[in-house]
Amino acid sequence: MADFVESREWYLAAYCPEGVPTSDHLKLRTVTLSLSVDSIPVNHLAVETLLLSVDPYLRGRITGTLEGLFISQYQLNQVITAFAVVRVVRSNDSKYSEGDILLNSNASVAEYSIVPSSIITRKIDTSNGISLSDYLGSLGIEVLADPKPGSNVFISAASGAVGMNAGQLAKIRGCRVIGSTGSDDKVKLIKEEFGYDDGFNYNTETDFDAALSKSYFPDGIDVYLDNVGGKMLEAVLNHVNKHARIPLCGMISQYNKVWTEREGVRNLLNMVGKQVRMEGFMLESYWHRFGDFAKDMERYIQEGKVKSKNKINVGIEGFLDSLNSLFSSSNIGKVVVQVKA
Amino acid sequence: MADFVESREWYLAAYCPEGVPTSDHLKLRTVTLSLSVDSIPVNHLAVETLLLSVDPYLRGRITGTLEGLFISQYQLNQVITAFAVVRVVRSNDSKYSEGDILLNSNASVAEYSIVPSSIITRKIDTSNGISLSDYLGSLGIEVLADPKPGSNVFISAASGAVGMNAGQLAKIRGCRVIGSTGSDDKVKLIKEEFGYDDGFNYNTETDFDAALSKSYFPDGIDVYLDNVGGKMLEAVLNHVNKHARIPLCGMISQYNKVWTEREGVRNLLNMVGKQVRMEGFMLESYWHRFGDFAKDMERYIQEGKVKSKNKINVGIEGFLDSLNSLFSSSNIGKVVVQVKA
């Protein structure tokens, strides 16, 4: 490894309060980084980025406002950050060695960076084939929804990074699982590959209310993992059973609008009559359960009980397009940018 | 007690999907009821009504639709029902005697009725001065919100039947408690009588967002007991702290509208970022905690730590006006119709 490297990085050029972020907002630049031993402070590491996790919540970090969304904002002209798998290229911390593979939950979207080792989440074994941020939604449905055998479970964005794992875990738990997703191909995928009992395409099945009540949940909904918000959440609230649980993972249908323009949910009163629990969750609160959960997931994957689908986009230059792909119906599974092999 | 009595009762003449219910919808009639021993089936009781609890949720029972609200509907031409304290006048069940005072959570809004003893909730001691449905909100805030000393607690409809007790219980727990209510007099009441730290009149303080953030919750909201829904709930969600809890007791601002016309809450996404738990509750799920709770409340009342305010309207003929008083800003405290002394 040379003492100086050229590192491409994505930075925030302008906030984007609404609509689809473009190259006016996120731009790629090349910086020169010194990796000489003198340049790495004590308890810091020089790392190269291997994989970047592309997640919908990142959209919320470039709105430029805290109103309506409490996720911290990226700073103008600064490199943006994301979940990433990184490899140590130089270490100034005795706990880490060159070649270690680490999870960094607040990594620069850059080819190289120098980071304090205190922000490293954990060392990981990448040979198990499990992409780490897959676990987020899956863990949420376990912790907050605690689905029982026979429960009627509905999952939106059912073929997405979170939905695909959550749906399979609910099946392992003995639930009846229905998913909504954005194309007929993806409906086929969740049924044939991920083992959902049934599913529908929200782009063609536009009367959510009728679909949920008659076709898919004649006995009502016990658990809804909400990844989309808006009209789908409202429709679900018209068909929830008593003591239904609704873990809120994200609301991808709403991210490209300022909050005052978002679709209001008009029937929250149903939560009273049916004593529904709705709860937002973020991975940060569940790290203490991550280890056990990762072991379970590894076993399920080895046994073929959980299958994974990833869309690997090669090259850091594709980060913006990868982000925007999450908000179309085109994407299937977990989106990852491979920066380095 | 004569074998035949004249009994006035309120019945549903027509459903009222929106707006203020009138005498077109709820009507009073007089029926003749046989109380002879032969007329009372085995395990049934003849009772006279003493007190009727007038609660906002009753509005939801005359909309004529299950859409948007899962509270069961009154039937056309049938007597309506409510929480009530009743007294046994004839018993055909060895467990109950003439003169027993009972809580009936599904009592006819009538002077007299014959009821299966299986629907009786419990025998009660009316001498403790505690009106039973007062406990609902108070118990809810204990069970679902679990407020800690120093928590920042906000209560809407703060001088209402539920709010007044919940606010005082939160004070006993050592919280900082702020209330919203519908008049300056009621703001004075909650501060001077019920011990709230502060409060505001939602009819004059119309920018809820500014009021909550700057004046009342500079450190954010930890617990919100929601009795009103709509714009107030939306404003609260802009100022919640991490892991805030929102027990949903009811949404009185929304009851007189069909659900599709209700105010949509547009910022539920905040629940994700702040990991907020929102949960509806109904007394029916907490009967197992009612006994212990009632003992605590009795002690608090005897020690002067909890004060109560009731509006007693005398005469069954005033039931409709009493119900509608809940939806104006005119009402203070718990509304009760005294049918019989």
Side-chain angles (χ1 to χ4, degrees):
Chain A
M1 177 63 56
D3 275 356
F4 289 89
V5 291
E6 303 257 284
S7 175
R8 286 179 298 167
E9 64 181 27
W10 283 92
Y11 71 102
L12 182 67
Y15 286 111
C16 176
E18 58 188 313
V20 176
T22 68
S23 55
D24 288 342
H25 308 103
L26 292 178
K27 291 183 192 290
L28 193 65
R29 66 185 170 200
T30 301
V31 297
T32 301
L33 209 64
S34 169
L35 301 183
S36 70
V37 175
D38 292 348
S39 309
I40 305 172
V42 174
N43 294 328
H44 281 60
L45 310 167
V47 299
E48 63 184 342
T49 305
L50 302 180
L51 297 169
L52 286 163
S53 174
V54 184
D55 298 302
Y57 79 93
L58 299 179
R59 175 64 184 88
R61 303 191 64 179
I62 59 176
T63 61
T65 169
L66 282 176
E67 278 189 307
L69 188 66
F70 292 91
I71 295 169
S72 64
Q73 295 298 297
Y74 293 134
Q75 297 301 301
L76 280 175
N77 297 317
Q78 302 298 301
V79 65
I80 63 171
T81 57
F83 261 59
V85 175
V86 302
R87 181 164 51 206
V88 178
V89 294
R90 291 242 162 95
S91 174
N92 195 358
D93 180 328
S94 59
K95 293 196 299 296
Y96 296 97
S97 314
E98 204 177 305
D100 280 354
I101 308 284
L102 309 175
L103 174 65
N104 182 353
S105 62
N106 198 35
S108 293
V109 177
E111 291 176 295
Y112 293 91
S113 53
I114 294 171
V115 298
S117 50
S118 59
I119 71 164
I120 294 301
T121 307
R122 50 164 37 210
K123 284 195 203 187
I124 57 170
D125 175 6
T126 51
S127 68
N128 64 19
I130 301 171
S131 87
L132 283 143
S133 60
D134 280 359
Y135 292 174
L136 174 53
S138 323
L139 188 57
I141 206 168
E142 295 253 319
V143 174
L144 302 182
D146 192 29
K148 300 288 186 297
S151 287
N152 286 293
V153 173
F154 179 49
I155 293 176
S156 54
S159 68
V162 164
M164 66 178 178
N165 284 318
Q168 292 178 89
L169 283 168
K171 284 306 298 175
I172 289 172
R173 290 254 199 147
C175 303
R176 186 171 159 275
V177 184
I178 310 289
S180 67
T181 185
S183 74
D184 292 343
D185 281 350
K186 289 197 272 189
V187 171
K188 195 163 179 280
L189 176 80
I190 64 174
K191 290 162 70 172
E192 296 182 359
E193 191 77 9
F194 299 147
Y196 281 65
D197 293 281
D198 211 340
F200 64 92
N201 175 354
Y202 65 82
N203 282 312
T204 54
E205 177 62 83
T206 49
D207 185 347
F208 299 159
D209 224 41
L212 291 176
S213 62
K214 289 178 193 133
S215 311
Y216 300 105
F217 292 100
D219 299 323
I221 297 168
D222 299 306
V223 171
Y224 171 47
L225 177 67
D226 186 22
N227 291 304
V228 302
K231 290 294 169 232
M232 188 70 86
L233 176 56
E234 191 173 82
V236 166
L237 283 172
N238 282 336
H239 304 290
V240 281
N241 289 329
K242 189 170 163 181
H243 293 302
R245 282 89 63 211
I246 304 181
L248 301 177
C249 174
M251 296 191 175
I252 201 167
S253 73
Q254 308 296 306
Y255 289 169
N256 285 341
K257 300 170 191 163
V258 295
W259 81 266
T260 49
E261 299 299 317
R262 288 180 182 150
E263 291 168 344
V265 173
R266 296 164 293 177
N267 55 356
L268 292 174
L269 183 57
N270 299 351
M271 291 180 65
V272 180
K274 290 289 176 178
Q275 305 185 65
V276 173
R277 173 180 292 186
M278 188 184 280
E279 186 166 354
F281 63 96
M282 309 259 286
L283 186 49
E284 60 174 42
S285 294
Y286 298 98
W287 283 119
H288 62 288
R289 292 184 61 164
F290 191 90
D292 287 346
F293 186 74
K295 274 184 215 142
D296 285 346
M297 283 295 282
E298 286 164 16
R299 200 183 66 244
Y300 293 146
I301 289 170
Q302 281 154 7
E303 293 171 357
K305 285 183 184 162
V306 168
K307 289 169 188 164
S308 196
K309 186 119 187 154
N310 296 304
K311 177 79 178 77
I312 310 276
N313 298 323
V314 177
I316 196 169
E317 65 279 6
F319 187 83
L320 176 59
D321 288 342
S322 292
L323 179 59
N324 285 331
S325 78
L326 301 174
F327 301 94
S328 71
S329 292
S330 66
N331 168 50
I332 299 179
K334 173 74 187 164
V335 176
V336 173
V337 168
Q338 182 181 319
V339 181
K340 202 125 191 175
Chain B
M1 178 62 54
D3 275 356
F4 289 90
V5 291
E6 303 255 285
S7 174
R8 287 179 298 168
E9 65 180 29
W10 282 91
Y11 71 101
L12 182 67
Y15 287 111
C16 176
E18 58 188 311
V20 176
T22 68
S23 55
D24 289 344
H25 309 104
L26 292 178
K27 290 181 192 292
L28 193 65
R29 66 185 169 199
T30 301
V31 297
T32 301
L33 211 63
S34 169
L35 302 183
S36 71
V37 175
D38 294 349
S39 308
I40 304 172
V42 174
N43 294 328
H44 281 59
L45 310 167
V47 299
E48 62 183 345
T49 305
L50 302 181
L51 297 168
L52 285 162
S53 174
V54 184
D55 298 302
Y57 78 94
L58 300 179
R59 175 65 185 88
R61 302 191 65 181
I62 59 177
T63 61
T65 171
L66 281 175
E67 278 190 307
L69 188 66
F70 291 90
I71 294 169
S72 64
Q73 294 298 297
Y74 293 134
Q75 297 300 299
L76 280 175
N77 298 315
Q78 302 297 303
V79 64
I80 64 171
T81 58
F83 261 58
V85 176
V86 301
R87 180 162 54 206
V88 178
V89 293
R90 290 237 162 99
S91 173
N92 194 359
D93 181 327
S94 58
K95 293 197 299 294
Y96 296 96
S97 314
E98 205 178 305
D100 280 354
I101 309 285
L102 309 175
L103 175 67
N104 183 351
S105 62
N106 199 35
S108 292
V109 177
E111 291 176 295
Y112 295 92
S113 54
I114 293 171
V115 298
S117 50
S118 59
I119 72 164
I120 294 300
T121 308
R122 49 161 41 207
K123 286 195 204 186
I124 55 167
D125 175 5
T126 51
S127 68
N128 64 20
I130 301 172
S131 86
L132 283 143
S133 60
D134 280 359
Y135 293 173
L136 174 53
S138 323
L139 189 56
I141 206 169
E142 294 252 320
V143 172
L144 302 183
D146 191 28
K148 300 286 186 298
S151 288
N152 286 294
V153 174
F154 179 50
I155 295 178
S156 54
S159 68
V162 163
M164 66 178 175
N165 284 319
Q168 293 177 88
L169 283 168
K171 284 305 300 176
I172 289 172
R173 290 255 199 145
C175 304
R176 186 171 159 274
V177 184
I178 310 290
S180 67
T181 186
S183 73
D184 292 343
D185 282 350
K186 290 198 272 188
V187 171
K188 196 163 178 278
L189 176 80
I190 63 174
K191 289 163 70 173
E192 295 181 1
E193 190 76 9
F194 299 148
Y196 281 66
D197 293 280
D198 210 340
F200 65 91
N201 175 355
Y202 65 81
N203 283 312
T204 54
E205 178 60 82
T206 49
D207 186 348
F208 299 159
D209 222 43
L212 291 176
S213 62
K214 288 179 195 130
S215 310
Y216 300 106
F217 292 101
D219 299 323
I221 297 169
D222 300 306
V223 172
Y224 171 48
L225 177 66
D226 186 22
N227 290 304
V228 302
K231 291 292 169 232
M232 188 70 86
L233 176 56
E234 192 173 82
V236 166
L237 284 172
N238 282 336
H239 303 289
V240 282
N241 289 330
K242 190 169 163 182
H243 292 303
R245 284 88 64 211
I246 303 182
L248 302 177
C249 174
M251 296 190 175
I252 202 167
S253 72
Q254 308 295 305
Y255 288 170
N256 285 342
K257 301 171 191 163
V258 296
W259 82 267
T260 48
E261 299 299 317
R262 288 180 182 149
E263 292 168 343
V265 173
R266 297 164 293 177
N267 55 357
L268 291 174
L269 182 58
N270 298 351
M271 291 181 64
V272 180
K274 290 290 174 178
Q275 304 186 65
V276 173
R277 173 179 290 186
M278 187 184 282
E279 186 165 358
F281 65 97
M282 309 259 287
L283 187 50
E284 61 174 42
S285 294
Y286 298 98
W287 283 118
H288 61 288
R289 292 185 61 166
F290 190 90
D292 287 344
F293 186 71
K295 274 185 214 141
D296 286 346
M297 283 295 281
E298 285 163 19
R299 200 182 67 245
Y300 293 145
I301 289 169
Q302 282 153 8
E303 294 171 356
K305 286 185 183 161
V306 169
K307 290 168 189 164
S308 199
K309 186 120 189 149
N310 295 305
K311 177 80 178 75
I312 310 277
N313 298 323
V314 177
I316 196 170
E317 64 279 6
F319 186 85
L320 176 58
D321 288 343
S322 293
L323 179 60
N324 284 331
S325 77
L326 300 175
F327 299 95
S328 70
S329 293
S330 67
N331 167 54
I332 299 180
K334 172 75 187 161
V335 176
V336 173
V337 167
Q338 182 180 319
V339 181
K340 204 126 188 170

